[in-house]
Amino acid sequence: MSIELKNVTKRYGQVTAVEDISFAVTEGELLALLGPSGSGKTTVLRLIAGLETPASGGIFIRGLQVNGVPVQKRNIGFIFQNYALFKNMTAFDNIAFGLKIKHWGRQRVVERVGELAALLELESLLQRFPHQLSGGQRQRIAIARALAPGPDVLLLDEPFAAVDAQIRQELRQWLVRLHQDLKVTAIFVTHDQEEAMEVADRIVVFSKGRLEQIGTPREVYETPRNEFVARFVGVMNVLELEVRASVARCQELEFPAHGLADGQKLRIGFRPYAVQVSGDPAALRYPAVLRRTYFLGIMLRLEIETPGGLVIRSRMSKEDYSRLDLADGRPISFQIRAYRVLSKEGDPLANEVAATHQMPPSLGEGI
Ligand code: ADP
Ligand code: MG
């Protein structure tokens, strides 16, 4: 293990910023800390860096407890959201900063800066000052500066949040490539689930100072442990069902009741891709109307509405959309192919939470 947190709690006065957090980052991994604003992500980074000390619990780097070890002794590289470059220094001097502090000789510094400039395609920019650089270029210099002294761990706190969408996309690719080349252990904070899914080996999902789930992007997307994770990581349709006559229902939609008693309430979720849509209003189990189509690049998101007023989100490729001859306002039909039980009344973490249910043919596929 490269870095491990064991039962770490941190308070600021009355505020518990993180509570009883445990996770481990393996050597060479790129781990994303994902959660809404205020969920404790920055606090976790600052604890790892040694800028904060935990109220309780242990922080271990390469097996050694570092709770009392000051930040300068942890060999950590930092990158923050607001590119904290030194304004009065050239790009070269910014990148060289940490090396000069370590009293590297001139020749070694020139070589190291050259190496990183080549890696990050900064060669032509080294004599410029920060105000002569674009946001994306500045962030690449910040990355080079953090990497220059050869840190054991790279900590990135929402590093691309301040640049516009296209540059952000580019910087993500840089980060992934750099990480592949250098194999440096990196912890990356973001509130953007797509960004986390795109760059990370594994994702730690936070909410209100607590760790909700840790897993690969695929695991947290396909097998979310609870409703918070399900809704935060991607789009999820959530319905509250009530069992009547041995069938779990929400308006006209029906699901198997798994032997639950009448009157039992439960919440289920299903991803847009599990909602199959036909342009023929009688082809699939449930009739509906296509309310609105959102064009999201190569995929489309469809908002459909049942006669009972439920709004359900589906998605499909452009090709399928054209093939099915769909248009906003038209009657359609749909069926739900798979769903997950998110919680049951009086039993918020039901065993079913770990399973995805395929709809039985009688309910899901029927004509
Ligand atoms: P995130 O990075 O996920 O947005 P933070 O780790 O910054 O979350 O904050 C977690 C919680 O701790 C928030 O409620 C925040 O207001 C509080 N907090 C963070 N830093 C301080 C501080 N220095 N003093 C008091 N409260 C703080
Ligand atoms: Mg933060």
Side-chain angles (χ1 to χ4, degrees):
M1 296 301 168
S2 185
I3 300 172
E4 189 167 7
L5 275 70
K6 285 188 186 162
N7 307 104
V8 170
T9 294
K10 169 71 189 172
R11 292 189 197 88
Y12 297 106
Q14 302 292 322
V15 179
T16 303
V18 303
E19 190 167 4
D20 198 21
I21 296 273
S22 301
F23 68 88
V25 192
T26 52
E27 195 87 44
E29 187 173 29
L30 203 175
L31 187 83
L33 307 185
L34 173 68
S37 177
S39 57
K41 307 179 297 294
T42 294
T43 302
V44 169
L45 274 201
R46 292 176 62 83
L47 285 161
I48 293 169
L51 294 166
E52 307 286 352
T53 32
S56 59
I59 298 171
F60 300 81
I61 298 183
R62 297 224 164 109
L64 295 174
Q65 178 149 357
V66 295
N67 283 28
V69 177
V71 58
Q72 313 85 289
K73 299 221 165 131
R74 293 198 188 186
N75 201 21
I76 278 170
F78 268 112
I79 298 159
F80 298 104
Q81 169 178 344
N82 47 348
Y83 8 79
L85 294 180
F86 303 112
K87 293 190 176 59
N88 56 343
M89 287 186 196
T90 61
F92 182 100
D93 289 333
N94 265 285
I95 299 171
F97 183 78
L99 308 177
K100 289 183 179 160
I101 285 182
K102 291 189 162 182
H103 307 293
W104 284 32
R106 178 77 192 159
Q107 193 49 38
R108 253 182 102 200
V109 170
V110 170
E111 277 169 23
R112 180 67 174 155
V113 174
E115 226 174 271
L116 288 158
L119 206 58
L120 285 148
E121 283 177 25
L122 295 168
E123 291 107 321
S124 60
L125 307 174
L126 289 176
Q127 295 319 313
R128 293 204 199 167
F129 288 89
H131 75 270
Q132 298 168 313
L133 298 163
S134 70
Q137 292 168 338
R138 276 184 243 167
Q139 243 0 15
R140 264 150 59 206
I141 287 162
I143 294 173
R145 185 179 64 181
L147 287 170
D152 291 330
V153 182
L154 198 58
L155 303 179
L156 305 100
D157 194 354
E158 313 232 14
F160 311 143
V163 292
D164 58 47
Q166 197 196 332
I167 305 293
R168 190 154 65 228
Q169 189 61 35
E170 243 175 74
L171 287 168
R172 287 180 195 169
Q173 298 312 321
W174 275 112
L175 180 66
V176 170
R177 245 178 293 151
L178 264 181
H179 182 254
Q180 276 167 357
D181 286 355
L182 302 175
K183 297 265 175 287
V184 61
T185 306
I187 306 179
F188 178 92
V189 164
T190 180
H191 62 267
D192 177 341
Q193 57 97 6
E194 220 174 85
E195 184 161 280
M197 306 273 278
E198 195 172 319
V199 306
D201 296 319
R202 286 190 306 157
I203 299 176
V204 187
V205 184
F206 284 95
S207 158
K208 297 180 184 153
R210 293 189 157 271
L211 191 159
E212 298 287 347
Q213 187 166 1
I214 178 164
T216 62
R218 187 168 181 180
E219 281 164 357
V220 295
Y221 187 78
E222 289 184 353
T223 53
R225 265 187 53 202
N226 55 37
E227 186 168 337
F228 175 82
V229 177
R231 298 187 101 136
F232 197 71
V233 180
V235 176
M236 186 74 126
N237 293 290
V238 176
L239 298 179
E240 182 159 324
L241 310 179
E242 186 172 348
V243 179
R244 273 179 285 124
S246 303
V247 176
R249 303 166 197 271
C250 177
Q251 306 271 12
E252 59 266 70
L253 305 192
E254 298 182 337
F255 297 81
H258 299 298
L260 298 172
D262 272 17
Q264 168 88 50
K265 290 196 174 119
L266 63 155
R267 292 170 76 81
I268 62 148
F270 46 97
R271 298 285 185 201
Y273 65 73
V275 180
Q276 186 186 355
V277 170
S278 166
D280 175 351
L284 301 175
R285 181 175 166 89
Y286 300 112
V289 169
L290 175 55
R291 278 285 166 235
R292 183 155 178 189
T293 308
Y294 297 87
F295 292 84
L296 312 170
I298 112 166
M299 296 305 291
L300 307 180
R301 179 168 310 140
L302 310 181
E303 245 172 46
I304 61 184
E305 190 175 342
T306 68
L310 290 173
V311 175
I312 308 260
R313 287 165 295 178
S314 177
R315 59 176 273 174
M316 65 174 64
S317 67
K318 264 188 193 153
E319 290 72 32
D320 285 345
Y321 186 82
S322 311
R323 192 170 50 75
L324 292 176
D325 193 28
L326 295 169
D328 290 3
R330 287 221 186 133
I332 56 145
S333 61
F334 75 98
Q335 66 195 9
I336 297 156
R337 288 199 270 221
Y339 66 97
R340 299 170 65 73
V341 176
L342 299 172
S343 60
K344 286 183 193 163
E345 197 177 27
D347 184 10
L349 280 177
N351 291 334
E352 277 89 337
V353 165
T356 297
H357 302 278
Q358 301 303 317
M359 282 296 261
S362 62
L363 287 173
E365 311 279 350
I367 290 189

